[in-house]
Amino acid sequence: MRIAAPVARCLFPLRLFPLCPLAACQPAADPTVDAAPPPGSDFAGAAFEFEEVVPGIFHARGTGALAVGSHGAVIVNEDDVLLVESHISPAAAWAVVDEVEALTDKPVRFVVNTHYHFDHAHGNQIYPPEVQVIGHEATREMLENGGSMGRSWETFVGGLPGQIAALEERVAAAEDDSARSELESRLAYLRNYLAGQEGLVPTGPNTTLSERLTLFRGDREIRLLFFGRGHTGGDVVVHLPNERVVITGDLLVPGLPYMGDGYLDEWDDTLEHLKSLEFDWVLPGHGNPFQEKDRIAWLQDYMRDLQARATALHAQGLSYEEAATRIDMTDHAERYPQIIGPGVPAVAVQRIFELLEEG
Ligand SMILES: [Zn+2]
């Protein structure tokens, strides 16, 4: 990360502040220095790889050097850059801003959170107020009121200290050098991931929308659209009609998305709206870019069946845990190879039961 080197110390990253807002803070003879990155930035190499799917629009994916959580996107406009997602920590958000320098010298002026989940939005705090961080009203609400540190965060991040302790024991017990070195590199990754939670303050978008918002940047038209509840209560898709690209967060991914905070009975309808968009490419929040529109209908079919099967077992008075082991979705296995036998993630059924009980 490069920042303007100060006469007096300047804290404004050049990439975010091409013109430093402090008048007294003029660049010195050496115009740039490396700023100290956030906790959890102790990794070697690049955190992200960028795939240019259409000119100027990149899918951003973690390389495995740093825990970054979700995939994101980089949209290079005539004068500025829009990033989709701020990823899993301030360190991951910092890394993407830093590494985008290899693609363009234009400043980051916009960030979109597709939804509130920690792996998509927990880096928001690195952005100064002059950068527009945009998301749905429900996304802001969840991030500002602790909702992003709920069950899903607890499941993934809350378990880190235990995983680290277990790995430390395995490292100590490892019998050969190559096994030990592999475990050690896994351990370093997890320790860094945990360190990245230090000083993390979930921060909502500073600009919200309820249904749609369009940015016109040079010849790019960037539409942010909310079609209804689905993966969460505030999923926004980013549609570039001229480039025929849609960036879907976790509302639509090539495999089966996480359903622990979803609204399965509404998700189906929300996906129906997505079908009305003109696009050639889907850039998802997890998995690789894809072109098959059929995947929308596949997910709808899966959700309708899961909802119906879970509802039937709920009516029989089964616990969600028991129901999750009994539900058989193997009739969808041809479309979703991760289905290898009966049983579905318990958290998906827990969520369906909760919503049924809320009425
Ligand atoms: Zn998500």
Side-chain angles (χ1 to χ4, degrees):
M1 170 66 67
R2 290 147 66 85
I3 62 168
V7 174
R9 188 159 173 262
C10 177
L11 294 174
F12 296 93
L14 248 192
R15 299 283 304 121
L16 305 179
F17 278 94
L19 298 172
C20 179
L22 298 179
C25 185
Q26 298 302 323
D30 173 5
T32 60
V33 293
D34 288 339
S41 297
D42 182 17
F43 65 98
F48 287 89
E49 58 184 10
F50 302 103
E51 180 188 353
E52 190 165 22
V53 179
V54 303
I57 301 178
F58 300 81
H59 197 222
R61 298 188 291 264
T63 60
L66 173 73
V68 303
S70 66
H71 298 338
V74 180
I75 302 175
V76 180
N77 302 318
E78 203 169 295
D79 299 318
D80 50 37
V81 173
L82 178 147
L83 300 177
V84 180
E85 315 297 23
S86 68
H87 304 282
I88 207 164
S89 63
W94 188 265
V96 78
V97 173
D98 189 31
E99 293 174 18
V100 158
E101 282 187 4
L103 306 178
T104 176
D105 58 4
K106 295 171 187 173
V108 173
R109 292 224 171 93
F110 304 95
V111 177
V112 174
N113 296 146
T114 60
H115 62 292
Y116 75 85
H117 274 158
F118 67 97
D119 54 329
H120 295 252
H122 268 186
N124 282 357
Q125 74 194 63
I126 74 155
Y127 292 104
E130 288 72 8
V131 173
Q132 272 191 289
V133 180
I134 310 172
H136 191 267
E137 291 165 349
T139 297
R140 180 175 164 90
E141 169 73 21
M142 291 300 269
L143 283 161
E144 291 286 316
N145 295 313
S148 67
M149 308 284 270
R151 176 168 62 204
S152 304
W153 181 86
E154 191 55 44
T155 303
F156 292 93
V157 182
L160 282 175
Q163 287 174 40
I164 289 169
L167 255 184
E168 283 168 345
E169 281 178 24
R170 288 177 62 199
V171 168
E175 287 185 356
D176 67 83
D177 287 349
S178 86
R180 183 177 306 108
S181 130
E182 199 183 313
L183 290 169
E184 277 171 346
S185 85
R186 175 84 189 140
L187 184 58
Y189 173 89
L190 290 180
R191 282 180 176 152
N192 202 30
Y193 182 1
L194 184 62
Q197 304 298 303
E198 245 172 69
L200 193 152
V201 180
T203 303
N206 58 26
T207 305
T208 62
L209 65 134
S210 56
E211 286 187 11
R212 61 187 297 149
L213 183 155
T214 306
L215 297 167
F216 296 93
R217 311 300 305 161
D219 56 4
R220 281 214 205 287
E221 179 175 344
I222 306 170
R223 297 179 180 170
L224 312 184
L225 305 165
F226 173 72
F227 289 132
R229 301 196 293 187
H231 175 68
T232 66
D235 304 288
V236 165
V237 302
V238 180
H239 183 222
L240 293 108
N242 300 328
E243 296 80 0
R244 298 179 64 84
V245 169
V246 65
I247 302 162
T248 52
D250 295 353
L251 187 68
L252 175 69
V253 296
L256 290 169
Y258 176 78
M259 298 178 189
D261 297 310
Y263 295 85
L264 250 72
D265 50 340
E266 299 172 45
W267 201 332
D268 178 18
D269 283 346
T270 302
L271 287 171
E272 196 61 34
H273 290 285
L274 191 60
K275 282 182 183 167
S276 67
L277 298 183
E278 295 282 333
F279 60 86
D280 295 327
W281 282 103
V282 176
L283 275 52
H286 302 277
N288 289 330
F290 61 92
Q291 296 193 279
E292 305 85 14
K293 279 195 176 156
D294 285 352
R295 289 189 182 277
I296 301 177
W298 293 3
L299 188 56
Q300 287 177 306
D301 290 347
Y302 179 94
M303 284 177 178
R304 276 187 223 114
D305 285 349
L306 177 57
Q307 178 78 21
R309 291 168 198 180
T311 302
L313 294 179
H314 183 262
Q316 291 174 28
L318 266 67
S319 69
Y320 75 81
E321 294 98 331
E322 177 67 26
T325 63
R326 284 216 213 159
I327 293 171
D328 185 351
M329 301 297 290
T330 51
D331 49 341
H332 294 264
E334 209 171 299
R335 295 169 172 180
Y336 296 108
Q338 73 244 60
I339 301 173
I340 51 169
V344 295
V347 72
V349 184
Q350 182 182 18
R351 177 66 178 170
I352 294 171
F353 279 22
E354 279 171 5
L355 293 176
L356 286 170
E357 284 154 22
E358 278 174 20

